[in-house]
Amino acid sequence: MLPNNSFLNRKLEELHKKELQTYLLLSDSLKDPYICGPPTCISSEKFKYLTDVKYEYEYKVKVETYFAGSSNNRSTLDVSAQATVQFIKPCEGLLQLSNVKLKDQDENYPVERAEKFVQAVSTHDLRFAFHDGIISEICPDEIEEDWVLNYKRAILSLFQNSMKRFDIDFKGIEQDIHGTCDVSYTVRGQENTSLILVKTRDLSLCTDRYKYMSILQTVRYDFQSKFQTWPVLKSESKCRIAVDHHIYKSVNCRERHLFEPFSGKNSGAMTTVIQDLVLIDEYNRTGSETMYTENKAWAMITKRSNILHHHAPNIRSDTGELKSARDVLKLLCMVKPNSDDEVRTVDENMDSGSTVGLWGRLVRSARKLHHPALAQLLARAPTICDSASKHILDALPYIASAGSVELIKNMIIKKEVDSDTRHEWLMSMAMIPRPKIEMLKSMLELLQTQRNDQVISFTVSSMVHSYCKHSRKACKKDTFNRKNVNEATILRDIET
């Protein structure tokens, strides 16, 4: 345990308890804690949604994956919901989902999983900024899960419209669930009382569609020209929009994702996504509904995000991930050197990169384990095979999780590893791009036990620097937020 009078420890505890994200948000003087989106609201020119009216839409999405041109085997998933949109302020909307239904092609699809999905997406309302068609920010409930928000982001993306006017063709850049994309709007004419628009995008050229699951620190690169890296998927999107009396009457979007390698013009592994949003009713709010929306409008905002798809790993329980890690270890144990000192892979048909792939799978599965489960995996490794423990020890510095840092700290304190392994671990942890607060607490505890160790001091300094680099406002008043954080600085803070 760190001393109670430690200045640095107190600061870390404060940040942990105050929930850093909320603290950073509300401390921003440009953000009004009661307004979602920009603080100023300019009257709408295109859209004429009214604040005292509820708009009920029927939303349907169908996802289908198949091998075009070669097989009739298809995998389909259908989801439908009633999406109610109302505007609690002239530039703020509220999305509510009800009557959610999920239908899977597989008749044996677990009913409880479908019920969990229905409950998750319909429990919380989603508040969003709406400035004449531009949805720049969403303000979800603090406990709303990322995968639920991604589903709602997809619905709100259908409302995203950056046109200057409905009656003039427009080309520009638009941000939605797909990323930041070049978009083209074409006016196709009238149909009864509705104005018909066609919206097209080449999703292959969109940016902000990246993710990472590696210890290596990477920086995305936005090419200045229209040429991006060669895409594995050829993705296109086309929407037909009907506008009636300055509101959306219907939106029909079709996406097509073709796996480029080994594909012909229209054949190969393909996924299509069809989204339909149709206005079914609009009516004035009742007194109780008005009171409900007014309470929502003046509720303090504790979480903000954008409409981009949020990439987050699917975290399973320790039990499930522990089993996955053990299964990968068993496969690695099957890789043994032959008499010619060459590595033989698990499958004779697999190339030499397969062993590297298994090791990467071990790192990814172990990254999701908490410290007790990771320690248990290491303790039971000898029962799997003689080399299992070595595989885990080699992977530890690359797992780069709070659990792995805690395990490394304990093993170093107990002197359970040799000096070379110890040095390799510490230098690897110094390169963790985004250390978490729990990692810093573990390393500061290690520093307390070995204050004169320069390698440990360097590692802690580097991790604190990286933490403050990505959380500048949280570290603004901390004395360790300096360009050159050395051992003496940290020790002085701890002893204060």
Side-chain angles (χ1 to χ4, degrees):
M1 293 293 294
L2 292 176
N4 292 330
N5 62 349
S6 167
F7 170 78
L8 189 53
N9 187 41
R10 290 200 309 271
K11 295 301 291 183
L12 294 176
E13 289 291 346
E14 288 174 8
L15 293 178
H16 185 63
K17 291 180 180 179
K18 289 182 179 179
E19 299 180 3
L20 181 58
Q21 185 177 18
T22 303
Y23 170 79
L24 291 176
L25 173 65
L26 299 181
S27 64
D28 189 344
S29 60
L30 298 179
K31 292 288 187 180
D32 189 314
Y34 300 98
I35 296 178
C36 185
T40 58
C41 179
I42 302 174
S43 58
S44 296
E45 297 292 335
K46 304 193 308 284
F47 287 97
K48 300 297 180 183
Y49 284 105
L50 304 177
T51 55
D52 57 348
V53 176
K54 294 182 70 173
Y55 301 89
E56 287 191 359
Y57 288 89
E58 181 183 35
Y59 173 72
K60 294 181 180 179
V61 58
K62 181 176 183 177
V63 182
E64 190 172 36
T65 301
Y66 56 96
F67 285 91
S70 61
S71 174
N72 292 324
N73 292 333
R74 295 170 182 261
S75 175
T76 62
L77 179 67
D78 294 88
V79 183
S80 62
Q82 179 177 309
T84 302
V85 177
Q86 49 187 321
F87 291 83
I88 56 180
K89 295 179 183 178
C91 292
E92 283 189 47
L94 193 68
L95 174 66
Q96 299 167 304
L97 298 181
S98 59
N99 298 327
V100 182
K101 298 178 182 178
L102 185 148
K103 181 181 178 182
D104 191 273
Q105 182 184 23
D106 184 3
E107 297 179 353
N108 297 320
Y109 187 82
V111 176
E112 59 273 11
R113 292 185 63 183
E115 292 176 346
K116 179 182 177 181
F117 174 85
V118 170
Q119 182 178 3
V121 300
S122 57
T123 298
H124 301 289
D125 303 336
L126 179 58
R127 191 172 169 181
F128 60 94
F130 189 84
H131 290 254
D132 204 16
I134 302 298
I135 302 176
S136 58
E137 187 172 66
I138 60 174
C139 302
D141 190 276
E142 196 168 7
I143 62 174
E144 191 93 280
E145 296 184 71
D146 286 322
W147 68 268
V148 177
L149 280 179
N150 285 333
Y151 177 75
K152 295 181 180 180
R153 285 182 174 109
I155 298 176
L156 290 180
S157 292
L158 298 178
F159 288 92
Q160 188 82 297
N161 186 307
S162 57
M163 298 176 73
K164 303 300 181 183
R165 291 169 47 178
F166 282 140
D167 57 345
I168 299 178
D169 293 352
F170 175 79
K171 289 185 178 181
I173 297 176
E174 200 168 274
Q175 189 177 83
D176 60 17
I177 187 73
H178 298 99
T180 303
C181 311
D182 292 333
V183 63
S184 174
Y185 288 91
T186 305
V187 181
R188 285 294 174 88
Q190 285 188 316
E191 185 178 279
N192 298 324
T193 60
S194 300
L195 181 66
I196 305 302
L197 310 174
V198 175
K199 175 181 178 180
T200 57
R201 286 165 297 178
D202 185 350
L203 301 181
S204 304
L205 301 180
C206 296
T207 58
D208 296 319
R209 290 168 62 85
Y210 57 92
K211 63 179 290 189
Y212 69 91
M213 289 182 63
S214 171
I215 187 176
L216 299 179
Q217 188 167 7
T218 58
V219 178
R220 67 183 178 92
Y221 181 78
D222 293 334
F223 290 85
Q224 296 301 313
S225 70
K226 66 178 182 179
F227 300 104
Q228 303 290 325
T229 55
W230 189 276
V232 176
L233 288 176
K234 181 181 179 181
S235 302
E236 301 170 339
S237 172
K238 186 175 183 179
C239 298
R240 183 182 186 274
I241 304 170
V243 182
D244 199 332
H245 297 91
H246 297 278
I247 65 173
Y248 273 178
K249 181 179 179 181
S250 66
V251 182
N252 173 264
C253 289
R254 294 175 177 267
E255 297 175 23
R256 176 176 173 271
H257 306 273
L258 175 66
F259 186 65
E260 285 276 74
F262 313 111
S263 67
K265 289 185 178 180
N266 293 305
S267 63
M270 186 180 299
T271 294
T272 59
V273 181
I274 301 176
Q275 290 178 288
D276 283 298
L277 185 74
V278 180
L279 180 67
I280 57 177
D281 198 6
E282 51 182 302
Y283 52 88
N284 292 330
R285 290 202 301 252
T286 63
S288 59
E289 290 172 337
T290 300
M291 290 180 62
Y292 176 80
T293 56
E294 287 180 351
N295 290 334
K296 285 286 185 180
W298 293 108
M300 180 176 286
I301 296 170
T302 58
K303 183 178 180 180
R304 298 175 188 261
S305 186
N306 54 36
I307 202 171
L308 292 172
H309 184 279
H310 190 272
H311 296 282
N314 182 22
I315 305 297
R316 296 188 291 177
S317 64
D318 275 353
T319 303
E321 294 301 338
L322 188 58
K323 183 179 183 302
S324 298
R326 285 177 60 86
D327 290 342
V328 178
L329 271 179
K330 291 177 182 178
L331 291 175
L332 282 170
C333 286
M334 296 172 63
V335 181
K336 300 178 181 178
N338 60 18
S339 57
D340 296 327
D341 293 330
E342 294 179 353
V343 175
R344 176 169 57 84
T345 57
V346 178
D347 188 329
E348 296 294 343
N349 297 321
M350 296 167 66
D351 58 25
S352 59
S354 302
T355 305
V356 178
L358 285 175
W359 192 82
R361 283 174 56 189
L362 174 64
V363 170
R364 290 191 294 273
S365 59
R367 184 173 291 149
K368 302 168 187 176
L369 295 175
H370 294 95
H371 170 247
L374 194 57
Q376 179 183 340
L377 179 66
L378 179 60
R380 297 183 179 179
T383 63
I384 300 176
C385 72
D386 294 337
S387 61
S389 297
K390 184 179 185 304
H391 289 313
I392 298 176
L393 294 177
D394 289 343
L396 268 183
Y398 301 99
I399 294 173
S401 66
S404 66
V405 172
E406 178 71 11
L407 182 57
I408 287 174
K409 180 260 297 183
N410 290 340
M411 295 184 70
I412 291 178
I413 291 177
K414 296 176 182 178
K415 299 181 179 180
E416 295 178 353
V417 292
D418 57 53
S419 59
D420 291 339
T421 301
R422 176 183 182 276
H423 184 271
E424 179 186 347
W425 283 356
L426 291 171
M427 296 305 293
S428 296
M429 287 192 295
M431 303 303 166
I432 295 177
R434 290 178 179 266
K436 297 180 180 179
I437 202 79
E438 295 83 3
M439 298 182 186
L440 295 184
K441 293 172 70 175
S442 296
M443 292 307 298
L444 287 171
E445 186 176 345
L446 177 61
L447 183 61
Q448 283 287 302
T449 62
Q450 303 182 32
R451 297 192 175 199
N452 297 322
D453 191 296
Q454 294 184 354
V455 178
I456 294 177
S457 298
F458 168 77
T459 299
V460 176
S461 300
S462 178
M463 293 176 71
V464 170
H465 173 74
S466 297
Y467 177 80
C468 291
K469 177 182 176 182
H470 297 288
S471 305
R472 292 183 180 179
K473 294 183 181 179
C475 296
K476 187 176 181 180
K477 296 182 180 180
D478 294 345
T479 56
F480 54 78
N481 184 27
R482 300 176 181 176
K483 291 184 178 179
N484 296 312
V485 184
N486 54 33
E487 176 188 4
T489 303
I490 295 178
L491 290 178
R492 185 171 63 251
D493 291 337
I494 292 176
E495 293 169 351
T496 301

